[in-house]
Short mmCIF file of all heavy atoms in Angstrom, two decimals:
data_model
loop_
_atom_site.label_atom_id
_atom_site.label_comp_id
_atom_site.label_asym_id
_atom_site.label_seq_id
_atom_site.Cartn_x
_atom_site.Cartn_y
_atom_site.Cartn_z
N MET A 508 -2.31 -24.55 -13.04
CA MET A 508 -3.57 -24.40 -12.29
C MET A 508 -3.99 -22.98 -12.18
O MET A 508 -3.20 -21.97 -11.94
CB MET A 508 -3.25 -24.86 -10.78
CG MET A 508 -4.54 -25.02 -9.94
SD MET A 508 -4.06 -25.79 -8.33
CE MET A 508 -5.65 -25.95 -7.57
N ARG A 509 -5.25 -22.69 -12.48
CA ARG A 509 -5.72 -21.25 -12.54
C ARG A 509 -6.48 -20.98 -11.25
O ARG A 509 -7.43 -21.66 -10.91
CB ARG A 509 -6.61 -21.02 -13.77
CG ARG A 509 -5.81 -21.26 -14.96
CD ARG A 509 -6.72 -21.17 -16.24
NE ARG A 509 -7.26 -19.89 -16.36
CZ ARG A 509 -6.60 -18.86 -17.01
NH1 ARG A 509 -5.51 -19.05 -17.48
NH2 ARG A 509 -7.18 -17.63 -17.15
N LEU A 510 -6.10 -19.99 -10.50
CA LEU A 510 -6.69 -19.62 -9.32
C LEU A 510 -7.02 -18.10 -9.33
O LEU A 510 -6.73 -17.36 -8.42
CB LEU A 510 -5.82 -19.94 -8.16
CG LEU A 510 -5.48 -21.39 -7.79
CD1 LEU A 510 -4.47 -21.53 -6.84
CD2 LEU A 510 -6.78 -22.14 -7.41
N HIS A 511 -7.57 -17.68 -10.45
CA HIS A 511 -7.69 -16.19 -10.58
C HIS A 511 -8.93 -15.57 -10.07
O HIS A 511 -9.20 -14.48 -10.45
CB HIS A 511 -7.54 -15.86 -12.09
CG HIS A 511 -6.20 -16.20 -12.70
ND1 HIS A 511 -5.92 -16.40 -14.03
CD2 HIS A 511 -5.01 -16.35 -12.02
CE1 HIS A 511 -4.74 -16.62 -14.16
NE2 HIS A 511 -4.08 -16.57 -13.03
N HIS A 512 -9.58 -16.29 -9.20
CA HIS A 512 -10.79 -15.70 -8.58
C HIS A 512 -10.62 -15.42 -7.07
O HIS A 512 -11.64 -15.38 -6.35
CB HIS A 512 -11.95 -16.62 -8.91
CG HIS A 512 -12.24 -16.81 -10.33
ND1 HIS A 512 -12.73 -15.77 -11.13
CD2 HIS A 512 -12.00 -17.86 -11.16
CE1 HIS A 512 -12.77 -16.15 -12.34
NE2 HIS A 512 -12.45 -17.41 -12.43
N THR A 513 -9.40 -15.33 -6.68
CA THR A 513 -9.13 -15.01 -5.32
C THR A 513 -8.69 -13.57 -5.19
O THR A 513 -8.97 -12.73 -6.15
CB THR A 513 -7.97 -15.89 -4.70
OG1 THR A 513 -6.80 -15.64 -5.56
CG2 THR A 513 -8.40 -17.31 -4.69
N GLY A 514 -8.33 -13.11 -4.09
CA GLY A 514 -8.26 -11.70 -3.71
C GLY A 514 -9.54 -11.14 -3.37
O GLY A 514 -10.55 -11.87 -3.36
N ARG A 515 -9.56 -9.91 -3.13
CA ARG A 515 -10.89 -9.25 -2.76
C ARG A 515 -11.26 -8.19 -3.86
O ARG A 515 -10.41 -7.65 -4.52
CB ARG A 515 -10.88 -8.67 -1.35
CG ARG A 515 -9.93 -7.40 -1.32
CD ARG A 515 -10.02 -6.78 0.11
NE ARG A 515 -9.36 -5.47 0.22
CZ ARG A 515 -8.09 -5.37 0.50
NH1 ARG A 515 -7.30 -6.48 0.82
NH2 ARG A 515 -7.54 -4.14 0.46
N PRO A 516 -12.62 -7.95 -3.95
CA PRO A 516 -13.00 -6.88 -4.91
C PRO A 516 -12.59 -5.51 -4.28
O PRO A 516 -12.45 -5.42 -3.08
CB PRO A 516 -14.53 -7.02 -4.94
CG PRO A 516 -14.89 -7.87 -3.88
CD PRO A 516 -13.69 -8.60 -3.31
N ALA A 517 -12.37 -4.61 -5.18
CA ALA A 517 -11.95 -3.18 -4.74
C ALA A 517 -13.23 -2.54 -4.01
O ALA A 517 -14.24 -2.58 -4.66
CB ALA A 517 -11.49 -2.48 -5.89
N SER A 518 -12.92 -1.92 -2.85
CA SER A 518 -13.97 -1.00 -2.41
C SER A 518 -14.02 0.26 -3.33
O SER A 518 -13.19 0.44 -4.12
CB SER A 518 -13.58 -0.56 -0.97
OG SER A 518 -12.39 0.27 -0.97
N ASP A 519 -15.08 1.03 -3.01
CA ASP A 519 -15.26 2.25 -3.75
C ASP A 519 -14.04 3.12 -3.70
O ASP A 519 -13.50 3.69 -4.68
CB ASP A 519 -16.43 3.09 -3.24
CG ASP A 519 -17.73 2.44 -3.70
OD1 ASP A 519 -17.74 1.56 -4.56
OD2 ASP A 519 -18.85 2.86 -3.07
N ALA A 520 -13.45 3.27 -2.53
CA ALA A 520 -12.23 4.14 -2.25
C ALA A 520 -11.01 3.54 -3.06
O ALA A 520 -10.16 4.22 -3.58
CB ALA A 520 -11.92 4.22 -0.81
N GLU A 521 -10.91 2.12 -2.91
CA GLU A 521 -9.76 1.56 -3.62
C GLU A 521 -9.90 1.74 -5.14
O GLU A 521 -8.99 1.92 -5.86
CB GLU A 521 -9.73 0.10 -3.22
CG GLU A 521 -9.22 -0.11 -1.78
CD GLU A 521 -9.46 -1.50 -1.25
OE1 GLU A 521 -10.25 -2.34 -1.86
OE2 GLU A 521 -8.79 -1.87 -0.32
N TRP A 522 -11.09 1.62 -5.63
CA TRP A 522 -11.33 1.66 -7.12
C TRP A 522 -10.94 3.09 -7.49
O TRP A 522 -10.31 3.26 -8.60
CB TRP A 522 -12.72 1.37 -7.46
CG TRP A 522 -13.03 1.57 -8.88
CD1 TRP A 522 -13.92 2.63 -9.41
CD2 TRP A 522 -12.53 0.94 -10.07
NE1 TRP A 522 -13.87 2.62 -10.71
CE2 TRP A 522 -13.16 1.63 -11.18
CE3 TRP A 522 -11.72 -0.15 -10.33
CZ2 TRP A 522 -12.85 1.21 -12.49
CZ3 TRP A 522 -11.41 -0.53 -11.55
CH2 TRP A 522 -12.02 0.12 -12.57
N GLN A 523 -11.35 4.03 -6.81
CA GLN A 523 -11.17 5.47 -7.10
C GLN A 523 -9.60 5.72 -7.15
O GLN A 523 -9.04 6.46 -8.00
CB GLN A 523 -11.81 6.44 -6.18
CG GLN A 523 -13.33 6.41 -6.45
CD GLN A 523 -14.05 7.00 -5.30
OE1 GLN A 523 -13.61 7.73 -4.48
NE2 GLN A 523 -15.49 6.81 -5.37
N ALA A 524 -8.81 5.19 -6.17
CA ALA A 524 -7.44 5.21 -6.10
C ALA A 524 -6.72 4.57 -7.32
O ALA A 524 -5.88 5.14 -7.85
CB ALA A 524 -6.92 4.67 -4.79
N PHE A 525 -7.31 3.44 -7.59
CA PHE A 525 -6.76 2.62 -8.76
C PHE A 525 -6.87 3.49 -10.05
O PHE A 525 -5.85 3.66 -10.83
CB PHE A 525 -7.46 1.35 -8.92
CG PHE A 525 -7.10 0.53 -10.14
CD1 PHE A 525 -5.83 -0.10 -10.22
CD2 PHE A 525 -8.03 0.48 -11.21
CE1 PHE A 525 -5.53 -0.80 -11.32
CE2 PHE A 525 -7.60 -0.26 -12.36
CZ PHE A 525 -6.46 -0.87 -12.41
N VAL A 526 -8.00 3.94 -10.34
CA VAL A 526 -8.12 4.64 -11.66
C VAL A 526 -7.38 5.99 -11.62
O VAL A 526 -6.99 6.51 -12.64
CB VAL A 526 -9.73 4.83 -12.03
CG1 VAL A 526 -10.32 3.60 -12.26
CG2 VAL A 526 -10.45 5.70 -11.01
N ALA A 527 -7.29 6.65 -10.41
CA ALA A 527 -6.48 7.85 -10.33
C ALA A 527 -5.01 7.65 -10.25
O ALA A 527 -4.18 8.53 -10.19
CB ALA A 527 -7.02 8.68 -9.09
N ARG A 528 -4.60 6.29 -10.28
CA ARG A 528 -3.14 5.92 -10.08
C ARG A 528 -2.56 6.52 -8.87
O ARG A 528 -1.41 6.99 -8.87
CB ARG A 528 -2.32 6.36 -11.40
CG ARG A 528 -2.87 5.51 -12.58
CD ARG A 528 -2.20 5.80 -13.86
NE ARG A 528 -2.67 4.99 -14.91
CZ ARG A 528 -2.80 5.34 -16.20
NH1 ARG A 528 -2.48 6.48 -16.54
NH2 ARG A 528 -3.19 4.45 -17.10
N GLY A 529 -3.29 6.48 -7.77
CA GLY A 529 -2.80 7.00 -6.51
C GLY A 529 -1.91 6.02 -5.84
O GLY A 529 -1.77 4.86 -6.25
N ALA A 530 -1.19 6.46 -4.86
CA ALA A 530 -0.27 5.69 -4.08
C ALA A 530 -0.98 4.98 -2.91
O ALA A 530 -1.45 5.58 -2.02
CB ALA A 530 0.98 6.49 -3.63
N THR A 531 -1.18 3.66 -3.09
CA THR A 531 -1.82 2.97 -2.04
C THR A 531 -1.03 1.90 -1.43
O THR A 531 -1.28 1.36 -0.25
CB THR A 531 -3.14 2.26 -2.58
OG1 THR A 531 -2.69 1.21 -3.52
CG2 THR A 531 -4.01 3.13 -3.32
N GLY A 532 0.02 1.32 -2.09
CA GLY A 532 0.81 0.25 -1.60
C GLY A 532 0.11 -1.12 -1.80
O GLY A 532 0.69 -2.14 -1.39
N LEU A 533 -1.07 -1.10 -2.38
CA LEU A 533 -1.90 -2.32 -2.59
C LEU A 533 -1.29 -2.97 -3.89
O LEU A 533 -0.69 -2.30 -4.77
CB LEU A 533 -3.35 -2.10 -2.69
CG LEU A 533 -3.97 -1.54 -1.42
CD1 LEU A 533 -5.39 -1.12 -1.68
CD2 LEU A 533 -3.91 -2.65 -0.36
N VAL A 534 -1.63 -4.28 -4.10
CA VAL A 534 -1.32 -4.98 -5.34
C VAL A 534 -2.57 -5.19 -6.10
O VAL A 534 -3.65 -5.67 -5.61
CB VAL A 534 -0.63 -6.27 -4.97
CG1 VAL A 534 -0.37 -7.11 -6.30
CG2 VAL A 534 0.58 -6.12 -4.19
N TRP A 535 -2.66 -4.71 -7.38
CA TRP A 535 -3.76 -4.76 -8.22
C TRP A 535 -3.71 -5.97 -9.15
O TRP A 535 -2.76 -5.99 -9.95
CB TRP A 535 -3.91 -3.42 -9.01
CG TRP A 535 -3.93 -2.28 -8.11
CD1 TRP A 535 -2.76 -1.38 -8.06
CD2 TRP A 535 -4.95 -1.71 -7.31
NE1 TRP A 535 -3.09 -0.38 -7.21
CE2 TRP A 535 -4.37 -0.55 -6.70
CE3 TRP A 535 -6.21 -2.12 -6.95
CZ2 TRP A 535 -5.10 0.20 -5.74
CZ3 TRP A 535 -6.81 -1.41 -5.99
CH2 TRP A 535 -6.28 -0.25 -5.45
N ALA A 536 -4.59 -6.82 -9.01
CA ALA A 536 -4.64 -7.96 -9.82
C ALA A 536 -5.85 -7.98 -10.75
O ALA A 536 -6.97 -7.57 -10.42
CB ALA A 536 -4.59 -9.35 -9.04
N VAL A 537 -5.57 -8.54 -12.01
CA VAL A 537 -6.65 -8.45 -13.00
C VAL A 537 -7.05 -9.93 -13.33
O VAL A 537 -6.25 -10.72 -13.87
CB VAL A 537 -6.22 -7.69 -14.24
CG1 VAL A 537 -7.37 -7.60 -15.29
CG2 VAL A 537 -5.72 -6.29 -13.87
N ALA A 538 -8.24 -10.28 -12.98
CA ALA A 538 -8.74 -11.67 -13.09
C ALA A 538 -8.76 -12.10 -14.54
O ALA A 538 -8.51 -13.31 -14.79
CB ALA A 538 -10.03 -11.91 -12.43
N SER A 539 -9.09 -11.22 -15.49
CA SER A 539 -9.17 -11.57 -16.96
C SER A 539 -7.96 -11.83 -17.52
O SER A 539 -7.88 -12.52 -18.56
CB SER A 539 -10.01 -10.47 -17.62
OG SER A 539 -9.35 -9.15 -17.45
N THR A 540 -6.86 -11.30 -17.00
CA THR A 540 -5.55 -11.48 -17.72
C THR A 540 -4.53 -12.17 -16.79
O THR A 540 -3.54 -12.73 -17.44
CB THR A 540 -4.84 -10.07 -17.93
OG1 THR A 540 -4.68 -9.37 -16.75
CG2 THR A 540 -5.79 -9.26 -18.90
N GLY A 541 -4.77 -12.37 -15.59
CA GLY A 541 -3.84 -13.06 -14.75
C GLY A 541 -2.59 -12.38 -14.37
O GLY A 541 -1.65 -13.06 -13.98
N ILE A 542 -2.61 -11.12 -14.39
CA ILE A 542 -1.46 -10.21 -14.12
C ILE A 542 -1.69 -9.42 -12.77
O ILE A 542 -2.86 -9.16 -12.53
CB ILE A 542 -0.94 -9.41 -15.19
CG1 ILE A 542 -1.92 -8.34 -15.53
CG2 ILE A 542 -0.52 -10.18 -16.44
CD1 ILE A 542 -1.39 -7.23 -16.43
N HIS A 543 -0.68 -9.03 -12.18
CA HIS A 543 -0.73 -8.11 -11.03
C HIS A 543 0.11 -6.86 -11.42
O HIS A 543 1.15 -6.98 -11.95
CB HIS A 543 -0.41 -8.68 -9.72
CG HIS A 543 0.98 -9.20 -9.51
ND1 HIS A 543 2.06 -8.38 -9.26
CD2 HIS A 543 1.53 -10.44 -9.55
CE1 HIS A 543 3.16 -9.16 -9.10
NE2 HIS A 543 2.85 -10.38 -9.29
N CYS A 544 -0.32 -5.70 -10.79
CA CYS A 544 0.31 -4.41 -11.07
C CYS A 544 0.49 -3.71 -9.88
O CYS A 544 -0.14 -3.91 -8.80
CB CYS A 544 -0.60 -3.58 -12.03
SG CYS A 544 -0.69 -4.16 -13.74
N ARG A 545 1.39 -2.71 -9.99
CA ARG A 545 1.58 -1.72 -8.85
C ARG A 545 0.84 -0.49 -9.07
O ARG A 545 0.32 -0.28 -10.20
CB ARG A 545 3.07 -1.53 -8.78
CG ARG A 545 3.71 -0.62 -9.90
CD ARG A 545 5.16 -0.29 -9.68
NE ARG A 545 5.98 -1.44 -9.80
CZ ARG A 545 7.09 -1.65 -9.20
NH1 ARG A 545 7.55 -0.64 -8.39
NH2 ARG A 545 7.88 -2.63 -9.33
N ASP A 546 0.76 0.34 -8.17
CA ASP A 546 0.18 1.65 -8.36
C ASP A 546 0.85 2.34 -9.48
O ASP A 546 1.93 2.34 -9.72
CB ASP A 546 0.47 2.54 -7.00
CG ASP A 546 -0.23 2.02 -5.78
OD1 ASP A 546 -1.35 1.41 -5.97
OD2 ASP A 546 0.19 2.44 -4.74
N GLY A 547 -0.04 3.01 -10.21
CA GLY A 547 0.37 3.83 -11.38
C GLY A 547 0.83 3.16 -12.52
O GLY A 547 1.57 3.70 -13.35
N CYS A 548 0.44 1.91 -12.72
CA CYS A 548 0.71 1.21 -13.90
C CYS A 548 0.24 1.93 -15.20
O CYS A 548 -0.78 2.51 -15.15
CB CYS A 548 0.13 -0.22 -13.93
SG CYS A 548 0.45 -1.22 -15.35
N PRO A 549 1.13 2.03 -16.23
CA PRO A 549 0.77 2.81 -17.44
C PRO A 549 -0.20 2.10 -18.33
O PRO A 549 -0.73 2.66 -19.20
CB PRO A 549 2.15 3.00 -18.13
CG PRO A 549 3.00 1.84 -17.66
CD PRO A 549 2.59 1.58 -16.16
N ALA A 550 -0.48 0.80 -17.94
CA ALA A 550 -1.47 0.06 -18.81
C ALA A 550 -2.80 0.63 -18.63
O ALA A 550 -3.17 1.23 -17.58
CB ALA A 550 -1.40 -1.42 -18.46
N ARG A 551 -3.79 0.44 -19.57
CA ARG A 551 -5.07 0.96 -19.54
C ARG A 551 -5.83 0.10 -18.32
O ARG A 551 -5.72 -0.98 -18.17
CB ARG A 551 -5.84 0.56 -20.81
CG ARG A 551 -7.21 1.03 -21.02
CD ARG A 551 -7.62 0.94 -22.47
NE ARG A 551 -9.04 1.16 -22.64
CZ ARG A 551 -9.95 0.18 -22.63
NH1 ARG A 551 -9.52 -1.15 -22.34
NH2 ARG A 551 -11.27 0.39 -22.79
N PRO A 552 -6.54 1.02 -17.47
CA PRO A 552 -7.19 0.26 -16.34
C PRO A 552 -8.20 -0.74 -16.83
O PRO A 552 -8.88 -0.63 -17.81
CB PRO A 552 -7.95 1.42 -15.66
CG PRO A 552 -7.20 2.75 -16.06
CD PRO A 552 -6.67 2.39 -17.47
N CYS A 553 -8.23 -1.79 -16.06
CA CYS A 553 -9.23 -2.94 -16.33
C CYS A 553 -10.61 -2.52 -15.90
O CYS A 553 -10.84 -1.52 -15.30
CB CYS A 553 -8.78 -4.19 -15.65
SG CYS A 553 -8.81 -4.10 -13.93
N LEU A 554 -11.58 -3.30 -16.28
CA LEU A 554 -12.94 -3.24 -15.74
C LEU A 554 -12.90 -3.52 -14.22
O LEU A 554 -12.20 -4.36 -13.72
CB LEU A 554 -13.85 -4.20 -16.42
CG LEU A 554 -14.06 -3.93 -17.88
CD1 LEU A 554 -14.94 -5.10 -18.50
CD2 LEU A 554 -14.72 -2.56 -18.12
N ARG A 555 -13.73 -2.82 -13.51
CA ARG A 555 -13.78 -3.02 -12.00
C ARG A 555 -14.18 -4.39 -11.75
O ARG A 555 -13.53 -5.01 -10.76
CB ARG A 555 -14.82 -1.97 -11.35
CG ARG A 555 -14.77 -2.15 -9.84
CD ARG A 555 -15.69 -0.98 -9.24
NE ARG A 555 -15.74 -1.18 -7.78
CZ ARG A 555 -16.27 -0.32 -6.97
NH1 ARG A 555 -16.78 0.76 -7.44
NH2 ARG A 555 -16.31 -0.52 -5.66
N ALA A 556 -14.93 -5.11 -12.48
CA ALA A 556 -15.41 -6.46 -12.19
C ALA A 556 -14.30 -7.34 -12.26
O ALA A 556 -14.41 -8.50 -11.62
CB ALA A 556 -16.64 -6.75 -13.14
N ASN A 557 -13.18 -7.04 -12.99
CA ASN A 557 -12.17 -7.95 -13.04
C ASN A 557 -11.02 -7.67 -12.08
O ASN A 557 -10.02 -8.37 -12.04
CB ASN A 557 -11.53 -7.77 -14.49
CG ASN A 557 -12.39 -8.34 -15.56
OD1 ASN A 557 -13.23 -9.24 -15.29
ND2 ASN A 557 -12.48 -7.84 -16.73
N LEU A 558 -11.09 -6.53 -11.34
CA LEU A 558 -10.05 -6.15 -10.43
C LEU A 558 -10.14 -6.92 -9.17
O LEU A 558 -11.19 -7.04 -8.48
CB LEU A 558 -10.12 -4.61 -10.21
CG LEU A 558 -8.94 -4.03 -9.52
CD1 LEU A 558 -7.72 -4.09 -10.30
CD2 LEU A 558 -9.28 -2.58 -9.07
N ARG A 559 -8.96 -7.44 -8.70
CA ARG A 559 -8.90 -8.05 -7.40
C ARG A 559 -7.75 -7.34 -6.68
O ARG A 559 -6.70 -6.97 -7.28
CB ARG A 559 -8.51 -9.57 -7.61
CG ARG A 559 -9.52 -10.32 -8.19
CD ARG A 559 -10.87 -10.45 -7.42
NE ARG A 559 -11.86 -11.27 -8.03
CZ ARG A 559 -12.70 -10.76 -8.88
NH1 ARG A 559 -12.73 -9.47 -9.25
NH2 ARG A 559 -13.61 -11.46 -9.48
N VAL A 560 -7.91 -7.20 -5.32
CA VAL A 560 -6.95 -6.46 -4.54
C VAL A 560 -6.27 -7.46 -3.64
O VAL A 560 -6.87 -8.25 -2.96
CB VAL A 560 -7.73 -5.38 -3.74
CG1 VAL A 560 -6.78 -4.60 -2.82
CG2 VAL A 560 -8.42 -4.46 -4.60
N PHE A 561 -5.00 -7.28 -3.54
CA PHE A 561 -4.17 -8.11 -2.60
C PHE A 561 -3.28 -7.10 -1.76
O PHE A 561 -3.01 -5.94 -2.18
CB PHE A 561 -3.22 -8.98 -3.34
CG PHE A 561 -3.89 -10.19 -4.01
CD1 PHE A 561 -4.34 -10.04 -5.34
CD2 PHE A 561 -4.10 -11.36 -3.42
CE1 PHE A 561 -5.01 -11.01 -6.01
CE2 PHE A 561 -4.76 -12.45 -4.03
CZ PHE A 561 -5.12 -12.27 -5.25
N ASP A 562 -2.97 -7.58 -0.57
CA ASP A 562 -2.17 -6.65 0.25
C ASP A 562 -0.66 -6.82 0.03
O ASP A 562 0.15 -5.98 0.42
CB ASP A 562 -2.45 -6.97 1.75
CG ASP A 562 -3.83 -6.61 2.15
OD1 ASP A 562 -4.32 -5.56 1.74
OD2 ASP A 562 -4.55 -7.42 2.68
N SER A 563 -0.34 -7.83 -0.69
CA SER A 563 1.17 -8.08 -0.90
C SER A 563 1.34 -8.84 -2.31
O SER A 563 0.52 -9.55 -2.70
CB SER A 563 1.85 -8.85 0.12
OG SER A 563 1.45 -10.24 0.13
N ARG A 564 2.53 -8.64 -2.90
CA ARG A 564 2.88 -9.29 -4.04
C ARG A 564 2.90 -10.84 -3.81
O ARG A 564 2.49 -11.58 -4.73
CB ARG A 564 4.19 -8.85 -4.55
CG ARG A 564 4.72 -9.52 -5.82
CD ARG A 564 6.21 -9.07 -6.08
NE ARG A 564 6.68 -9.64 -7.32
CZ ARG A 564 7.03 -8.89 -8.42
NH1 ARG A 564 7.11 -7.61 -8.30
NH2 ARG A 564 7.36 -9.46 -9.54
N ALA A 565 3.30 -11.17 -2.65
CA ALA A 565 3.46 -12.65 -2.40
C ALA A 565 2.09 -13.36 -2.45
O ALA A 565 1.87 -14.39 -2.94
CB ALA A 565 4.18 -12.93 -1.02
N GLN A 566 1.07 -12.59 -1.95
CA GLN A 566 -0.20 -13.18 -1.92
C GLN A 566 -0.75 -13.30 -3.26
O GLN A 566 -1.50 -14.24 -3.78
CB GLN A 566 -1.27 -12.22 -1.12
CG GLN A 566 -0.96 -12.35 0.41
CD GLN A 566 -1.80 -11.39 1.15
OE1 GLN A 566 -2.76 -10.77 0.52
NE2 GLN A 566 -1.53 -11.16 2.44
N ALA A 567 -0.49 -12.22 -4.27
CA ALA A 567 -1.00 -12.27 -5.60
C ALA A 567 -0.34 -13.43 -6.33
O ALA A 567 -0.97 -14.05 -7.14
CB ALA A 567 -0.66 -10.90 -6.30
N GLU A 568 0.91 -13.63 -6.19
CA GLU A 568 1.55 -14.65 -6.81
C GLU A 568 1.17 -16.06 -6.31
O GLU A 568 1.12 -16.99 -7.10
CB GLU A 568 3.09 -14.43 -6.79
CG GLU A 568 3.43 -13.13 -7.42
CD GLU A 568 4.84 -13.00 -8.01
OE1 GLU A 568 5.75 -13.77 -7.50
OE2 GLU A 568 5.07 -12.20 -8.88
N ALA A 569 0.93 -16.21 -5.10
CA ALA A 569 0.45 -17.42 -4.46
C ALA A 569 -0.94 -17.87 -5.10
O ALA A 569 -1.30 -18.97 -5.23
CB ALA A 569 0.29 -17.44 -2.96
N ALA A 570 -1.69 -16.77 -5.45
CA ALA A 570 -2.98 -17.03 -6.11
C ALA A 570 -2.99 -17.25 -7.65
O ALA A 570 -3.89 -17.42 -8.31
CB ALA A 570 -3.94 -15.81 -5.87
N GLY A 571 -1.75 -17.16 -8.16
CA GLY A 571 -1.52 -17.56 -9.60
C GLY A 571 -1.34 -16.38 -10.54
O GLY A 571 -1.25 -16.58 -11.67
N PHE A 572 -1.24 -15.20 -10.03
CA PHE A 572 -1.04 -14.08 -10.82
C PHE A 572 0.46 -13.80 -11.09
O PHE A 572 1.29 -14.09 -10.31
CB PHE A 572 -1.65 -12.75 -10.21
CG PHE A 572 -3.18 -12.79 -10.07
CD1 PHE A 572 -3.79 -13.23 -9.04
CD2 PHE A 572 -3.90 -12.34 -11.10
CE1 PHE A 572 -5.15 -13.21 -9.00
CE2 PHE A 572 -5.28 -12.26 -11.09
CZ PHE A 572 -5.90 -12.73 -9.94
N ARG A 573 0.73 -13.17 -12.41
CA ARG A 573 2.09 -13.02 -12.77
C ARG A 573 2.26 -11.44 -12.78
O ARG A 573 1.32 -10.70 -13.09
CB ARG A 573 2.35 -13.55 -14.15
CG ARG A 573 2.27 -15.08 -14.15
CD ARG A 573 2.82 -15.52 -15.55
NE ARG A 573 2.19 -14.97 -16.63
CZ ARG A 573 1.08 -15.39 -17.29
NH1 ARG A 573 0.61 -16.53 -16.99
NH2 ARG A 573 0.61 -14.65 -18.22
N ALA A 574 3.62 -11.06 -12.67
CA ALA A 574 3.91 -9.69 -12.76
C ALA A 574 3.63 -9.06 -14.06
O ALA A 574 3.99 -9.80 -15.08
CB ALA A 574 5.37 -9.42 -12.28
N CYS A 575 3.10 -7.83 -14.10
CA CYS A 575 2.84 -7.11 -15.25
C CYS A 575 4.21 -6.78 -16.03
O CYS A 575 5.13 -6.39 -15.35
CB CYS A 575 2.09 -5.88 -14.91
SG CYS A 575 1.86 -4.68 -16.27
N ARG A 576 4.20 -6.87 -17.31
CA ARG A 576 5.34 -6.46 -18.11
C ARG A 576 5.58 -4.96 -18.15
O ARG A 576 6.65 -4.44 -18.45
CB ARG A 576 5.34 -7.06 -19.45
CG ARG A 576 5.51 -8.52 -19.49
CD ARG A 576 5.56 -9.04 -20.92
NE ARG A 576 5.42 -10.55 -21.00
CZ ARG A 576 5.31 -11.19 -22.04
NH1 ARG A 576 5.14 -10.55 -23.23
NH2 ARG A 576 5.37 -12.56 -22.05
N ARG A 577 4.48 -4.20 -18.06
CA ARG A 577 4.54 -2.70 -18.14
C ARG A 577 5.20 -2.15 -16.80
O ARG A 577 5.99 -1.27 -16.81
CB ARG A 577 3.20 -2.15 -18.32
CG ARG A 577 2.57 -2.59 -19.63
CD ARG A 577 3.15 -1.96 -20.93
NE ARG A 577 3.04 -0.49 -20.90
CZ ARG A 577 2.01 0.19 -21.29
NH1 ARG A 577 0.96 -0.42 -21.71
NH2 ARG A 577 1.98 1.52 -21.26
N CYS A 578 4.70 -2.63 -15.78
CA CYS A 578 5.12 -1.91 -14.48
C CYS A 578 5.91 -2.78 -13.51
O CYS A 578 6.30 -2.25 -12.44
CB CYS A 578 3.80 -1.47 -13.70
SG CYS A 578 2.78 -2.77 -13.06
N GLY A 579 6.14 -4.00 -13.90
CA GLY A 579 6.90 -4.87 -13.08
C GLY A 579 6.15 -5.68 -11.97
O GLY A 579 6.69 -6.40 -11.23
N GLY A 580 4.86 -5.42 -11.87
CA GLY A 580 4.06 -6.01 -10.86
C GLY A 580 3.87 -5.33 -9.60
O GLY A 580 4.68 -4.41 -9.26
N GLY A 581 2.91 -5.66 -8.80
CA GLY A 581 2.67 -5.04 -7.53
C GLY A 581 3.63 -5.40 -6.49
O GLY A 581 4.40 -6.30 -6.54
ZN1 ZN B 1208 1.13 -3.15 -14.64
#
């Protein structure tokens, strides 16, 4: 079951923190790939339109996202 359209879009401040790989404690999910990442993931940043924000790993996984292989997930 694919539920990759949940989570919330990133605010301007959240997006800026994401691309700067700042420490936010948020979970970054990518709707186009179905993975979730932690702050500072070494993978190339996704398009903003594909980014979904979750407050916890459990929420991202409940929405159908899987942990990123590069960073271990959010
Ligand atoms: Zn990652």
Side-chain angles (χ1 to χ4, degrees):
M508 188 174 189
R509 296 174 67 85
L510 296 171
H511 292 159
H512 298 290
T513 55
R515 67 174 188 271
S518 69
D519 288 346
E521 287 169 342
W522 172 251
Q523 288 163 18
F525 173 73
V526 296
R528 296 179 174 144
T531 66
L533 295 170
V534 177
W535 307 106
V537 184
S539 56
T540 60
I542 64 165
H543 63 78
C544 288
R545 68 177 70 209
D546 289 337
C548 180
R551 187 167 169 269
C553 66
L554 295 174
R555 184 171 178 173
N557 292 330
L558 189 65
R559 296 292 181 273
V560 182
F561 290 89
D562 294 315
S563 74
R564 179 184 185 120
Q566 288 176 9
E568 299 208 334
F572 291 92
R573 297 188 309 263
C575 173
R576 290 181 184 174
R577 299 284 300 275
C578 67

